PDB file of all heavy atoms in Angstrom:
ATOM      1  N   SER A1302     -17.346 -42.369  17.082  1.00  0.00           N
ATOM      2  CA  SER A1302     -17.518 -41.020  17.633  1.00  0.00           C
ATOM      3  C   SER A1302     -16.280 -40.199  17.307  1.00  0.00           C
ATOM      4  O   SER A1302     -15.178 -40.740  17.139  1.00  0.00           O
ATOM      5  CB  SER A1302     -17.742 -41.056  19.149  1.00  0.00           C
ATOM      6  OG  SER A1302     -16.599 -41.586  19.801  1.00  0.00           O
ATOM      7  N   LEU A1303     -16.469 -38.914  17.237  1.00  0.00           N
ATOM      8  CA  LEU A1303     -15.342 -38.021  16.960  1.00  0.00           C
ATOM      9  C   LEU A1303     -14.449 -37.955  18.189  1.00  0.00           C
ATOM     10  O   LEU A1303     -14.941 -37.773  19.309  1.00  0.00           O
ATOM     11  CB  LEU A1303     -15.851 -36.626  16.583  1.00  0.00           C
ATOM     12  CG  LEU A1303     -16.749 -36.558  15.349  1.00  0.00           C
ATOM     13  CD1 LEU A1303     -17.177 -35.125  15.085  1.00  0.00           C
ATOM     14  CD2 LEU A1303     -16.056 -37.132  14.120  1.00  0.00           C
ATOM     15  N   THR A1305     -11.867 -36.972  21.239  1.00  0.00           N
ATOM     16  CA  THR A1305     -11.512 -35.824  22.058  1.00  0.00           C
ATOM     17  C   THR A1305      -9.993 -35.728  22.147  1.00  0.00           C
ATOM     18  O   THR A1305      -9.258 -36.580  21.610  1.00  0.00           O
ATOM     19  CB  THR A1305     -12.109 -35.970  23.461  1.00  0.00           C
ATOM     20  OG1 THR A1305     -11.562 -37.155  24.071  1.00  0.00           O
ATOM     21  CG2 THR A1305     -13.634 -36.096  23.390  1.00  0.00           C
ATOM     22  N   LEU A1396     -13.757 -31.824  22.413  1.00  0.00           N
ATOM     23  CA  LEU A1396     -13.576 -32.386  21.077  1.00  0.00           C
ATOM     24  C   LEU A1396     -12.280 -31.887  20.447  1.00  0.00           C
ATOM     25  O   LEU A1396     -11.964 -30.693  20.496  1.00  0.00           O
ATOM     26  CB  LEU A1396     -14.772 -32.014  20.196  1.00  0.00           C
ATOM     27  CG  LEU A1396     -14.720 -32.460  18.733  1.00  0.00           C
ATOM     28  CD1 LEU A1396     -14.787 -33.978  18.642  1.00  0.00           C
ATOM     29  CD2 LEU A1396     -15.851 -31.826  17.938  1.00  0.00           C
ATOM     30  N   ASN A1428     -23.647 -31.720  18.776  1.00  0.00           N
ATOM     31  CA  ASN A1428     -23.680 -32.648  19.908  1.00  0.00           C
ATOM     32  C   ASN A1428     -22.275 -33.078  20.308  1.00  0.00           C
ATOM     33  O   ASN A1428     -21.961 -33.191  21.500  1.00  0.00           O
ATOM     34  CB  ASN A1428     -24.528 -33.862  19.545  1.00  0.00           C
ATOM     35  CG  ASN A1428     -24.558 -34.901  20.657  1.00  0.00           C
ATOM     36  OD1 ASN A1428     -23.749 -35.829  20.663  1.00  0.00           O
ATOM     37  ND2 ASN A1428     -25.486 -34.738  21.585  1.00  0.00           N
ATOM     38  N   GLN A1429     -21.409 -33.327  19.344  1.00  0.00           N
ATOM     39  CA  GLN A1429     -20.047 -33.737  19.649  1.00  0.00           C
ATOM     40  C   GLN A1429     -19.253 -32.618  20.311  1.00  0.00           C
ATOM     41  O   GLN A1429     -18.332 -32.890  21.091  1.00  0.00           O
ATOM     42  CB  GLN A1429     -19.337 -34.176  18.366  1.00  0.00           C
ATOM     43  CG  GLN A1429     -19.892 -35.455  17.752  1.00  0.00           C
ATOM     44  CD  GLN A1429     -19.668 -36.659  18.652  1.00  0.00           C
ATOM     45  OE1 GLN A1429     -18.539 -37.054  18.919  1.00  0.00           O
ATOM     46  NE2 GLN A1429     -20.749 -37.248  19.144  1.00  0.00           N
ATOM     47  N   THR A1431     -20.604 -30.545  22.427  1.00  0.00           N
ATOM     48  CA  THR A1431     -21.229 -30.251  23.733  1.00  0.00           C
ATOM     49  C   THR A1431     -21.363 -31.521  24.577  1.00  0.00           C
ATOM     50  O   THR A1431     -20.431 -31.937  25.256  1.00  0.00           O
ATOM     51  CB  THR A1431     -22.593 -29.585  23.515  1.00  0.00           C
ATOM     52  OG1 THR A1431     -23.388 -30.402  22.633  1.00  0.00           O
ATOM     53  CG2 THR A1431     -22.431 -28.202  22.883  1.00  0.00           C
ATOM     54  N   SER A1432     -22.543 -32.160  24.529  1.00  0.00           N
ATOM     55  CA  SER A1432     -22.843 -33.275  25.445  1.00  0.00           C
ATOM     56  C   SER A1432     -22.226 -34.598  25.008  1.00  0.00           C
ATOM     57  O   SER A1432     -21.992 -35.484  25.837  1.00  0.00           O
ATOM     58  CB  SER A1432     -24.364 -33.445  25.578  1.00  0.00           C
ATOM     59  OG  SER A1432     -24.943 -33.694  24.301  1.00  0.00           O
ATOM     60  N   ARG A1433     -22.028 -34.841  23.735  1.00  0.00           N
ATOM     61  CA  ARG A1433     -21.386 -36.027  23.184  1.00  0.00           C
ATOM     62  C   ARG A1433     -22.132 -37.313  23.560  1.00  0.00           C
ATOM     63  O   ARG A1433     -21.566 -38.236  24.130  1.00  0.00           O
ATOM     64  CB  ARG A1433     -19.928 -36.120  23.643  1.00  0.00           C
ATOM     65  CG  ARG A1433     -19.043 -35.000  23.132  1.00  0.00           C
ATOM     66  CD  ARG A1433     -17.607 -35.192  23.568  1.00  0.00           C
ATOM     67  NE  ARG A1433     -17.078 -36.484  23.171  1.00  0.00           N
ATOM     68  CZ  ARG A1433     -16.595 -36.765  21.949  1.00  0.00           C
ATOM     69  NH1 ARG A1433     -16.597 -35.833  21.009  1.00  0.00           N
ATOM     70  NH2 ARG A1433     -16.117 -37.972  21.676  1.00  0.00           N
ATOM     71  N   ASN A1434     -23.414 -37.357  23.251  1.00  0.00           N
ATOM     72  CA  ASN A1434     -24.189 -38.574  23.489  1.00  0.00           C
ATOM     73  C   ASN A1434     -24.697 -39.192  22.192  1.00  0.00           C
ATOM     74  O   ASN A1434     -25.566 -40.065  22.210  1.00  0.00           O
ATOM     75  CB  ASN A1434     -25.371 -38.295  24.424  1.00  0.00           C
ATOM     76  CG  ASN A1434     -26.239 -37.152  23.924  1.00  0.00           C
ATOM     77  OD1 ASN A1434     -26.072 -36.688  22.787  1.00  0.00           O
ATOM     78  ND2 ASN A1434     -27.141 -36.687  24.766  1.00  0.00           N
ATOM     79  N   MET A1435     -24.165 -38.752  21.047  1.00  0.00           N
ATOM     80  CA  MET A1435     -24.522 -39.327  19.754  1.00  0.00           C
ATOM     81  C   MET A1435     -23.318 -40.059  19.177  1.00  0.00           C
ATOM     82  O   MET A1435     -22.160 -39.764  19.520  1.00  0.00           O
ATOM     83  CB  MET A1435     -24.990 -38.224  18.783  1.00  0.00           C
ATOM     84  CG  MET A1435     -26.261 -37.517  19.229  1.00  0.00           C
ATOM     85  SD  MET A1435     -26.760 -36.184  18.093  1.00  0.00           S
ATOM     86  CE  MET A1435     -27.169 -37.129  16.629  1.00  0.00           C
TER      87      MET A1435
END
Side-chain angles (χ1 to χ4, degrees):
S1302 63
L1303 300 180
T1305 61
L1396 177 67
N1428 178 267
Q1429 292 295 296
T1431 53
S1432 59
R1433 295 183 55 82
N1434 54 10
M1435 296 178 66

